[in-house]
Amino acid sequence: MSWVAQTLNSTLGRKLVMALTGLFLCTFLIVHAGGNTMLFRSDGGQAFNEYTYFMTHNPLIKMVSYILYTSILLHAVYAGILTAINRKARPVGYAYARPSENSTWASRNMGFLGVILLLFIIVHMRTFWYEMHFGSVPMATYDGQEYKDLYKVVIWAFSQWPYVVLYTISMAAMAFHLVHGFRSGFQTLGGNHPKYNPLLSNLSWAFGIIISALFAAMPIYVFIQTH
Amino acid sequence: MLNEKREFYLALSIQHLNFERRMNLKLRIWRQRDANSKGALVDYEVKVNPHMSFLEMLDELNETLQQKGQEPVAFDHDCREGICGSCNLFINGRPHGPMQTTTCQLHMRHFHEGETVVIEPWRAKAFPIVKDLIVDRSAFDRIVQAGGYISVNTGSARDANEIPIPKIIADEAFNSAACIACGACVAACKNASAMLFVGAQISKLALLPQGKAERKATGRENGGSDGCGGFWSLLQYRGLLG
Ligand code: HEM
Ligand code: SF4
Ligand code: FES
């Protein structure tokens, strides 16, 4: 076996893939959340539509988006493999265990939280990404140039309570996933030092909560605005 | 705080020495005839002296079981002084029970009157059950055999300070060398991973100049890069299954 195949077949290699794709997804979240704050502007969606136009036409961003799709797939596939291996490692469980004495709830439920995220990503991509690329989105014209009016699609979705509920629950799941994931991604890459561990833990909490809260605020804001 | 605790326990033990108080406990112990049969938790009632060690408590239970013509509970133990790592019991939801010691160093005074004590074997696919509370931990030996050693020529003993080693490094290596291969880390880990054990086997050698020379070779052979979440898969992958 070549060393590449050997590494990717070892649990550590698989964990590396989890960490690298996971942390890449975290950087994506920052950009995504930042861009989407355009929704909070009361300009009828002009800033938001100009931003989505840029994101779908810039060749560099397009390339990064392919890395993003690959990352989500790799992350989900490797999550499945690792979770299966981990389950097989203890076929008979304890009758009485107190797991919270040495691990957090989120760390023990990354697979479950991930499945919620995967379902969320599927619905999310169908609602916005699919419509943007293959659906019929109304057009808007600013300064004589035509834009796809994705803003209208967002308002349409977020003015319905099932979307708002789904997004809020999913973002709560993401908060837990990130509070453990962000920190442990660094751990997997070797970032474990008594001096920096507390900082990393705090950063992980802050990142998980702020990013998730920011995302959850968007459907809630639109829902309140339209009712 | 610690001193207060110590004094409290000292006073307690003197009191018990004098009055030989007996404590009633309900034990729920995993019984399993052999590797292939189905096991179950079985309830026992015992009256114990709080000075007893946990293993002495089980000894006494076994004596009464034998007197009644019943099969004693099989559990592993050897040194009974916290250095061999054989006494591995999962007690009340924690490896080695409520205190941070080995099971043989745990005393009954850490339990209270009327308490139910659940005693289970380590649960990991790589540690198959032999009987009752005894598991086969030879997987650890096979990991060590695969590379947890260095090549040293035998002969007369070398001078201990022949190679200068900074104290901090020596202490750190010693911390890892203090692993007694008890398996509690595997028992506690949610993924039954031997990452701590493997890490200790590597660090105790790789930190020292004698081990550094062979660090890469042993690390690779050891499957050291195969740590977290992969004890079972590590064994499978390296062909180390018993
Ligand atoms: C597609 C759905 C997802 C699934 C099924 C999933 C599943 C998982 C699982 C099971 C783990 C733990 C792996 C292990 O160490 O055993 C994990 C870790 C992680 N996840 Fe996800 N996840 C998903 C989406 C996401 C998203 C959207 C992000 C961030 C934006 C993310 C970030 C992370 C990070 C940073 C880690 C830590 C990696 C490590 O421990 O080294 N995941 N994920
Ligand atoms: S590292 Fe694991 S096997 Fe070694 S002493 Fe600690 S708990 Fe026991
Ligand atoms: S019997 Fe040896 S460590 Fe407990």
Side-chain angles (χ1 to χ4, degrees), chain B residues 11-230:
Chain B
L12 205 67
S13 31
I14 290 168
Q15 187 191 345
H16 289 314
L17 265 179
N18 294 340
F19 300 105
E20 176 91 18
R21 182 146 62 98
R22 293 248 144 186
M23 191 183 194
N24 295 292
L25 292 178
K26 199 172 141 202
L27 306 178
R28 305 202 69 198
I29 303 179
W30 184 262
R31 303 299 310 259
Q32 182 170 336
R33 185 168 293 280
D34 55 45
N36 301 317
S37 39
K38 225 172 111 56
L41 285 169
V42 179
D43 289 353
Y44 300 95
E45 310 243 327
V46 286
K47 254 178 180 285
V48 302
N49 182 318
H51 306 306
M52 282 175 168
S53 76
F54 201 83
L55 298 187
E56 282 166 340
M57 182 272 293
L58 287 180
D59 290 338
E60 220 183 63
L61 169 71
N62 278 347
E63 262 169 45
T64 46
L65 286 182
Q66 270 170 312
Q67 277 162 14
K68 287 193 235 163
Q70 293 174 11
E71 182 84 3
V73 179
F75 63 91
D76 226 345
H77 60 98
D78 187 17
C79 70
R80 295 206 179 198
E81 57 180 16
I83 57 169
C84 75
S86 327
C87 54
N88 32 44
L89 298 179
F90 201 82
I91 303 163
N92 274 354
R94 283 183 57 150
H96 295 304
M99 307 304 287
Q100 289 203 359
T101 59
T102 54
T103 300
C104 61
Q105 299 305 296
L106 177 66
H107 286 78
M108 299 318 293
R109 57 175 171 270
H110 298 299
F111 297 86
H112 58 77
E113 168 65 30
E115 190 171 347
T116 301
V117 184
V118 185
I119 311 170
E120 295 175 81
W122 283 176
R123 296 288 189 191
K125 185 157 187 175
F127 290 162
I129 291 184
V130 177
K131 184 184 169 77
D132 294 340
L133 300 170
I134 299 181
V135 298
D136 175 0
R137 283 174 302 129
S138 59
F140 271 3
D141 301 337
R142 292 193 293 280
I143 288 179
V144 172
Q145 280 158 8
Y149 55 83
I150 55 166
S151 322
V152 177
N153 293 330
T154 51
S156 56
R158 310 283 282 269
D159 174 21
N161 292 323
E162 197 179 69
I163 307 169
I165 297 166
K167 168 127 174 75
I168 292 182
I169 306 264
D171 284 353
E172 215 176 306
F174 184 76
N175 281 344
S176 294
C179 166
I180 53 176
C182 68
C185 47
V186 174
C189 174
K190 74 186 181 77
N191 302 327
S193 158
M195 189 188 175
L196 274 180
F197 172 79
V198 175
Q201 302 316 306
I202 292 176
S203 305
K204 75 179 180 193
L205 301 174
L207 282 166
L208 301 176
Q210 297 93 327
K212 272 209 175 93
E214 293 171 73
R215 201 177 99 192
K216 288 214 161 146
T218 46
R220 214 178 295 134
E221 281 303 304
N222 211 330
S225 63
D226 234 42
C228 187

Side-chain angles (χ1 to χ4, degrees), chain A residues 32 36 39 48 52 56 120-135 137 148-159 163 166-167 219:
Chain A
H32 195 38
N36 287 1
L39 286 172
F48 182 75
T52 52
T56 42
F120 165 77
I121 291 170
I122 292 169
V123 175
H124 181 64
M125 299 269 284
R126 175 65 188 86
T127 314
F128 300 123
W129 179 86
Y130 180 86
E131 286 303 321
M132 184 74 178
H133 288 260
F134 309 108
V137 178
K148 284 192 176 179
D149 197 352
L150 193 62
Y151 180 78
K152 274 216 179 69
V153 184
V154 174
I155 301 298
W156 169 83
F158 290 170
S159 57
Y163 271 103
L166 173 81
Y167 272 65

Side-chain angles (χ1 to χ4, degrees), chain A residues 1 5-7 9-15 82 85-99 101-103 107-109 187, chain B residues 30 41 90-95 118 120-126 186-192 195 225-230 232-233 237-238:
Chain A
M1 252 194 287
Q6 198 171 359
T7 303
N9 274 325
S10 71
T11 37
L12 188 79
R14 287 169 176 153
K15 288 279 296 177
L82 282 171
I85 291 176
N86 288 343
R87 290 194 162 210
K88 264 201 284 186
R90 179 168 289 140
V92 182
Y94 294 105
Y96 176 33
R98 302 210 316 259
E101 297 225 351
N102 57 23
S103 62
S107 77
R108 279 176 270 124
N109 290 283
Q187 159 90 52
Chain B
W30 184 262
L41 285 169
F90 201 82
I91 303 163
N92 274 354
R94 283 183 57 150
V118 185
E120 295 175 81
W122 283 176
R123 296 288 189 191
K125 185 157 187 175
V186 174
C189 174
K190 74 186 181 77
N191 302 327
M195 189 188 175
S225 63
D226 234 42
C228 187
W232 171 251
S233 65
Y237 180 56
R238 303 281 165 186

